[in-house]
Amino acid sequence: MPGKKGYTLPMQSILSLRGVSKTYATGHSALKDVSLDIQRGEIFALLGPNGAGKTTLISIICGLVRPSAGTISAGGHDIVRDWRPARSLIGLVPQELTTDAFETVLATVRLSRGLFGKPANPALVEKVLRDLSLWEKRDSKIMTLSGGMKRRVMIAKALSHEPQILFLDEPTAGVDVELRRDMWRVIRELRDTGVTIILTTHYLEEAEEMADRIGVIRKGELILVERKQDLMRTLGRKELTLHLARPLAAIPPALAAHPLTLSEDGLRLVYTYTSATPDGGSDAAAPASIAPVLRELAAAGIDFTDLDTRQSSLEEIFVGLVHADA
Ligand SMILES: Nc1ncnc2c1ncn2[C@@H]1O[C@H](COP(=O)(O)OP(=O)(O)OP(=O)(O)O)[C@@H](O)[C@H]1O
């Protein structure tokens, strides 16, 4: 994040990747020269189509897969040279449930803490379970829990050793809408306690709803990292639809310079524009960009009875990015 004088403030970055690449034994190049800084306390969403390299990236950071090149530091510790302190800062909630189904909630979360070599801390385990609304279920066997509860157990396990950075790999895959909202609330609350969150998701709505910043990965390359608002503002397109008072046979030549399309029945004119301003400034300037076309419509004698506007969703932006020259 640029400081007042425009230089970066390394103190704020809790995770730092430099030139990370991974070529699997098959010769497949799954990650190509990825550099990224994650700021303390942010929610970062990593988006990419299937096979883009998201799980590979997370697995490398969590020490499960060795990078072929590059360096990664967590909290200032190199994850290879200094793996123990680096690893203790990181919690991982994997896609698959890997917990023993016959174990109770409490036992499995306690055990996870022990696996990290941390001394028993019943008060902390209780707090984690309470925060995730699992305390009432502490003596239930995992297999008796609902899908949403099982996911919470996975989060509780990852939090049991007090990580500062939490990776969530597809936290709401296959979860119904209500549970997804519930999970979003849980994740936000975690962030509010100071945990830095990095999540991968196929649900664009999830990134749109939750993320402070978004990284898009395609074929192993991190093709874009942006604050969500900036992404939506600079790549988002707006559409102004004018409902005409009288049908038009064609767009008058005087208006040919504008990006206008006419519906087949000649009753709707659609004007597409971006809301970005030349200086990357605020949206306040955006409506000005429709003024000239409205003036010229009036001058051409085209009346309209109604108008509406819509802004593209993150989904549309993402599809555009991932499929551009793919
Ligand atoms: N152990 C491995 N050996 C060889 N190739 C692998 C291995 N693991 C992953 N790959 C390949 O690397 C590429 C990236 O896989 P990865 O699992 O990181 O993608 P992803 O973005 O997480 O996808 P998804 O969204 O489907 O989980 C894929 O082409 C995959 O087939």
Side-chain angles (χ1 to χ4, degrees):
M1 194 176 283
K4 275 189 184 140
K5 291 176 185 163
Y7 49 73
T8 48
L9 298 171
M11 289 305 289
Q12 299 198 336
S13 153
I14 190 162
L15 185 69
S16 183
L17 285 77
R18 289 289 171 272
V20 175
S21 297
K22 175 67 187 177
T23 304
Y24 282 111
T26 54
H28 181 78
S29 172
L31 280 183
K32 297 164 193 159
D33 197 19
V34 171
S35 294
L36 175 67
D37 281 291
I38 299 291
Q39 312 302 324
R40 193 179 286 274
E42 72 174 328
I43 298 183
F44 187 90
L46 195 56
L47 300 179
N50 286 330
K54 302 180 294 294
T55 304
T56 300
L57 187 61
I58 289 185
S59 302
I60 289 175
I61 298 168
C62 293
L64 305 172
V65 169
R66 269 192 171 253
S68 312
T71 55
I72 299 168
S73 66
H77 306 286
D78 184 280
I79 63 147
V80 176
R81 252 194 345 265
D82 240 357
W83 67 271
R84 202 182 284 271
R87 187 70 187 84
S88 76
L89 294 176
I90 298 172
L92 169 64
V93 183
Q95 275 182 34
E96 302 293 328
L97 193 71
T98 51
T99 298
D100 183 351
F102 296 98
E103 205 58 88
T104 67
V105 170
L106 188 58
T108 198
V109 174
R110 269 191 197 143
L111 177 68
S112 290
R113 182 170 169 87
L115 288 176
F116 272 84
K118 296 254 172 152
N121 185 340
L124 177 101
V125 170
E126 178 173 342
K127 182 178 183 318
V128 167
L129 292 180
R130 283 194 188 279
D131 287 351
L132 291 163
S133 308
L134 283 171
W135 184 242
E136 307 302 318
K137 298 275 181 191
R138 63 189 176 280
D139 295 322
S140 303
K141 290 197 167 73
I142 306 286
M143 63 184 180
T144 66
L145 301 180
S146 67
M149 288 280 181
K150 283 181 187 148
R151 270 171 211 259
R152 284 161 186 255
V153 173
M154 300 291 287
I155 296 180
K157 281 174 53 151
L159 290 178
S160 67
H161 67 91
E162 303 163 88
Q164 292 184 26
I165 308 167
L166 186 66
F167 283 92
L168 295 149
D169 201 0
E170 298 279 345
T172 60
V175 163
D176 69 32
V177 175
E178 201 176 319
L179 273 176
R180 192 173 301 157
R181 299 208 164 271
D182 207 33
M183 191 64 76
W184 292 348
R185 183 183 54 74
V186 167
I187 294 170
R188 275 201 204 91
E189 285 170 5
L190 280 177
R191 194 264 304 271
D192 293 343
T193 67
V195 179
T196 303
I197 312 259
I198 300 160
L199 57 92
T200 69
T201 183
H202 277 111
Y203 299 108
L204 280 300
E205 190 198 353
E206 187 155 280
E208 199 164 342
E209 174 81 22
M210 306 269 299
D212 299 309
R213 281 197 307 156
I214 290 178
V216 176
I217 189 163
R218 183 184 64 179
K219 295 181 185 167
E221 282 178 72
L222 194 60
I223 57 172
L224 172 143
V225 176
E226 285 247 33
R227 276 167 29 91
K228 180 181 62 190
Q229 283 93 335
D230 295 344
L231 184 65
M232 309 227 17
R233 193 168 61 216
T234 54
L235 293 179
R237 294 164 75 79
K238 286 190 173 177
E239 257 179 32
L240 168 72
T241 302
L242 299 160
H243 300 266
L244 306 181
R246 287 170 301 279
L248 269 184
I251 296 170
L255 291 161
H258 295 287
L260 283 166
T261 52
L262 184 64
S263 64
E264 274 194 14
D265 60 8
L267 278 168
R268 273 171 298 124
L269 260 183
V270 178
Y271 176 63
T272 309
Y273 61 106
T274 63
S275 51
T277 55
D279 61 352
S282 82
D283 258 355
S289 64
I290 63 173
V293 74
L294 292 181
R295 269 198 304 273
E296 288 175 40
L297 281 165
I302 299 172
D303 289 338
F304 50 90
T305 55
D306 199 1
L307 58 80
D308 52 69
T309 59
R310 65 178 284 277
Q311 179 149 25
S312 52
S313 66
L314 184 58
E315 176 123 29
E316 289 163 293
I317 297 173
F318 176 69
V319 168
L321 269 174
V322 168
H323 293 294
D325 62 75

